Amino acid sequence: MTYDATIEEPRGDYVKLEEGFDGRAQEEASSSSGCDGGGDGGWCWSLWWWLKLILVVTFLGVLAAVIFKWVGPFFMDKEIIPIIHWEMETFSTQVLALLVFGSVALFPILLLPSTPSMWVAGMTFGYGYGFLLTIGAVAIGVSLPYFIGFLFHHKIQMWLERYPKKASIIRLAGEGNWFNQFRAVALIRISPFPYVIYNYSAVATNITYGPYFLGSLAGMVPEVFVALYTGILIKTLADASHDQHSLSASQIIFNTVGFCITLATTVIITLYAKKRLKELRREDHLLLQ
């Protein structure tokens, strides 16, 4: 009996030590999960996210103010103002409108960016006429590659097979009903997916022209307005530099706030479009399983 008692005593101590260690481990795990999103602890992550957002916005605001005050005028004197003067002396307003319209409509066929032409539209015609001129040209710029792409349908299919991850996004627009195709195309246009590449590769899916055309126009509206705003901002800085006077404090604040709002809106819309595309891809993958 004495022998058995000596064996049981250490065993009981060992069990107590083990239980004490497990209890402390559970307490540490529960306390450390406060900032991991468990329960109500998600406030820590949310606070850190907002702090990062405020720091980024503040940095962008200071950077924009520096550009408007010093970098912008210097760059305007050396590059932008000579180009603007050359355009104004060489082309009339009507000819410039035709050049802008033609470049925005035809450059996508040649896989060339048309954003600089949209800047010129903003500098010359402002928001109203600039938007009407640009969106009309965009309608042609997204339609011609769509129809030309049918001539290279087989080669485009082979290209998509080489890049399955990108192809999954493109094929997503060709699935579902008319509204689903329209929504997918609009999200692809807003997302960072290359504009000129999608014009041709869209024909490799089952998407029809109607939702492709309307979705492209809807998705291109934010980019058009950002490009027009950039052109107007460039002209404002160029005029201030040409007249040999710096921008007033109110002009700097107005332009800085406008630049930050435009940039933040573009980033938010782009991130939302990417998120929705991922959700649509996930839903489509679950349906196929």
Side-chain angles (χ1 to χ4, degrees), residues 69-88:
K69 184 67 177 179
W70 292 287
V71 180
F74 175 80
F75 185 71
M76 294 297 162
D77 290 336
K78 300 299 182 180
E79 301 293 339
I80 303 300
I81 290 179
I83 295 176
I84 294 177
H85 285 168
W86 176 78
E87 288 181 351
M88 299 301 293

Side-chain angles (χ1 to χ4, degrees), residues 31-257:
S31 62
S32 63
S33 63
C35 290
D36 292 338
D40 296 332
W43 66 268
C44 186
W45 181 89
S46 178
L47 178 62
W48 173 239
W49 188 87
W50 281 107
L51 286 175
K52 289 194 295 183
L53 180 62
I54 293 173
L55 290 175
V56 170
V57 172
T58 303
F59 172 77
L60 292 176
V62 173
L63 180 63
V66 171
I67 292 174
F68 290 140
K69 184 67 177 179
W70 292 287
V71 180
F74 175 80
F75 185 71
M76 294 297 162
D77 290 336
K78 300 299 182 180
E79 301 293 339
I80 303 300
I81 290 179
I83 295 176
I84 294 177
H85 285 168
W86 176 78
E87 288 181 351
M88 299 301 293
E89 294 173 358
T90 306
F91 306 107
S92 63
T93 303
Q94 294 78 7
V95 174
L96 201 57
L98 291 175
L99 291 175
V100 170
F101 187 89
S103 59
V104 175
L106 299 179
F107 277 10
I109 301 177
L110 305 175
L111 302 180
L112 296 176
S114 56
T115 303
S117 299
M118 298 182 189
W119 297 346
V120 176
M123 287 188 292
T124 308
F125 304 102
Y127 284 115
Y129 290 114
F131 177 78
L132 295 176
L133 180 68
T134 304
I135 203 67
V138 167
I140 298 176
V142 299
S143 298
L144 291 179
Y146 177 85
F147 294 111
I148 294 174
F150 282 106
L151 301 176
F152 310 97
H153 187 274
H154 180 67
K155 292 184 177 180
I156 294 175
Q157 287 281 9
M158 294 176 59
W159 179 82
L160 292 180
E161 292 176 357
R162 294 172 54 189
Y163 302 95
K165 186 175 181 180
K166 296 292 184 182
S168 63
I169 299 176
I170 297 173
R171 292 194 174 97
L172 183 65
E175 300 174 355
N177 56 24
W178 191 96
F179 176 75
N180 289 334
Q181 293 182 358
F182 166 82
R183 179 181 59 180
V185 172
L187 291 174
I188 290 174
R189 292 300 190 185
I190 297 173
S191 70
F193 194 90
Y195 164 75
V196 294
I197 294 179
Y198 182 68
N199 290 339
Y200 283 102
S201 58
V203 300
T205 65
N206 296 322
I207 189 170
T208 56
Y209 177 70
Y212 165 81
F213 176 74
L214 295 178
S216 296
L217 292 185
M220 287 294 296
V221 168
E223 180 180 347
V224 170
F225 271 111
V226 170
L228 293 176
Y229 172 80
T230 304
I232 294 172
L233 183 61
I234 291 174
K235 189 174 186 301
T236 301
L237 295 176
D239 291 341
S241 180
H242 178 66
D243 295 337
Q244 299 298 323
H245 68 81
S246 60
L247 296 176
S248 62
S250 60
Q251 288 177 316
I252 293 176
I253 294 174
F254 178 79
N255 289 319
T256 302
V257 172

Side-chain angles (χ1 to χ4, degrees), residues 264-277:
T265 303
T266 304
V267 171
I268 291 172
I269 293 176
T270 302
L271 292 177
Y272 172 77
K274 292 179 64 177
K275 180 182 178 182
R276 287 295 299 146
L277 283 175

